Amino acid sequence: MTDQRRVLVAGATGYLGRYVAQEFKRRGYWVRALARSPEKLQTEGPYMEPAIDHLCDELFVGEITRPETLVGACEGIDIVFSSIGITRQRDGLGFMDVDYQGNMNLLTEALESKVRKFVFVSVFKADRISDLARERELFVEELNRSGLAYGIVRPTGYFSDMSEFLKMAKGGKVYVLGTGRNKINPIHGQDLAEVCVDSAENDQDHSERDVGGPVAYSYEEIGAMACDMLGVKKKIVHIPLGLARLVVACFRPFSSRGYQSVRFFTTVMSNDFVAPKAGSNRLDRYFTQMSKRG
């Protein structure tokens, strides 16, 4: 084995995972991608994230919720990175299955293989929305107890999440909660990837970092920007907070996962989520590029 640093990227087919694998490779790492469907790495993602199959030194096919498929995934690895979460996952699994237990399965393999560090992506202001980010923060607690060196990164939101405003604008109406004046500084995947790899290279045994993009926008500004980029008539619909909470409550008896997902986004949109700024990619440029894709 050479002295080249070796990393396992879990969630390599996701929005952030692709950029993280690319950034590790740019900095000279040997990269192993963990993915359920590695063929997805051969094409660009839906939010312009890069195809990275040519950047991966090795592909490891496994499912984070099936520990028997992860055996050997961390063998010979120095650093494990995981942004695994239920946002892009289906199969009827819950947050506890994926965000907590799935990452626990990976941590078990990491400890067995004696990796040096584990870098994990959680959620900004997790302490204030603890019931909504509970599973991810439960895993953070386990990671802390494991004795393994770690880096925790807590972003505000991804540019890919903001693409929902483009979808609404295409449909003719953009919905915001309350006044729409609450702000967020979302971050591009490439900028966040640099922060994540910096965390991996941090000499401290334990580090935690809150991070957002270079510009903070109100949700109404994001909606108006989406309309402008698409060249459609601006129509912003303000949903009263009381009505939004009533609608969210209606989800609870039918789908705990749906309830938690909808409640998470309504909570974020009804509060300011502005973290320390990083990166240089602006949301208006991203919207311009996405709008050209049709």
Side-chain angles (χ1 to χ4, degrees), residues 195-210:
V195 172
C196 291
V197 179
D198 286 346
S199 180
E201 296 182 338
N202 191 317
D203 290 335
Q204 295 179 326
D205 286 342
H206 307 120
S207 66
E208 302 190 22
R209 183 174 176 182
D210 296 335

Side-chain angles (χ1 to χ4, degrees), residues 29-262:
Y29 285 76
W30 183 95
V31 177
R32 177 183 293 158
L34 170 62
R36 295 192 304 165
S37 305
E39 64 275 5
K40 292 181 180 179
L41 300 177
Q42 300 172 12
T43 57
E44 184 181 82
Y47 305 104
M48 299 186 299
E49 57 269 44
I52 61 166
D53 63 314
H54 63 292
L55 299 177
C56 298
D57 297 282
E58 186 173 288
L59 298 177
F60 191 99
V61 180
E63 295 187 35
I64 200 168
T65 55
R66 296 175 56 203
E68 70 275 10
T69 70
L70 300 179
V71 175
C74 299
E75 184 177 348
I77 292 296
D78 300 304
I79 298 167
V80 170
F81 168 84
S82 176
S83 56
I84 291 286
I86 207 166
T87 306
R88 306 299 176 198
Q89 181 122 0
R90 294 295 183 264
D91 303 337
L93 297 171
F95 289 91
M96 185 59 77
D97 300 314
V98 181
D99 295 53
Y100 174 74
Q101 189 57 55
N103 282 295
M104 281 299 299
N105 295 337
L106 187 59
L107 176 59
T108 298
E109 282 297 314
L111 292 170
E112 179 70 24
S113 297
K114 295 180 172 56
V115 307
R116 183 174 62 81
K117 195 168 194 177
F118 197 115
V119 178
F120 179 66
V121 179
S122 185
V123 180
F124 179 57
K125 285 190 175 180
D127 57 333
R128 300 188 188 182
I129 54 171
S130 57
D131 60 327
L132 302 177
R134 180 186 58 176
E135 291 81 4
R136 299 191 80 77
E137 288 301 304
L138 282 174
F139 174 71
V140 170
E141 293 175 9
E142 295 287 356
L143 188 54
N144 185 35
R145 283 192 286 266
S146 72
L148 188 62
Y150 65 78
I152 307 298
V153 179
R154 293 188 175 93
T156 53
Y158 303 164
F159 274 21
S160 57
D161 300 324
M162 299 301 106
S163 296
E164 293 301 317
F165 285 88
L166 288 173
K167 293 179 183 178
M168 286 190 286
K170 286 180 181 179
K173 296 179 182 178
V174 175
Y175 297 91
V176 298
L177 296 184
T179 64
R181 294 175 186 169
N182 292 108
K183 291 190 172 185
I184 187 171
N185 60 327
I187 187 167
H188 190 282
Q190 178 56 56
D191 292 334
L192 182 53
E194 292 177 10
V195 172
C196 291
V197 179
D198 286 346
S199 180
E201 296 182 338
N202 191 317
D203 290 335
Q204 295 179 326
D205 286 342
H206 307 120
S207 66
E208 302 190 22
R209 183 174 176 182
D210 296 335
V211 64
V215 182
Y217 310 86
S218 72
Y219 290 101
E220 182 157 4
E221 287 173 334
I222 295 173
M225 185 193 308
C227 293
D228 290 342
M229 294 303 172
L230 292 174
V232 300
K233 183 178 179 181
K234 183 175 68 175
K235 188 167 185 180
I236 310 295
V237 179
H238 294 261
I239 302 175
L241 287 176
L243 177 60
R245 290 176 180 134
L246 178 61
V247 171
V248 169
C250 290
F251 273 85
R252 193 164 198 169
F254 303 102
S255 170
S256 60
R257 174 179 161 182
Y259 165 76
Q260 194 166 355
S261 296
V262 174

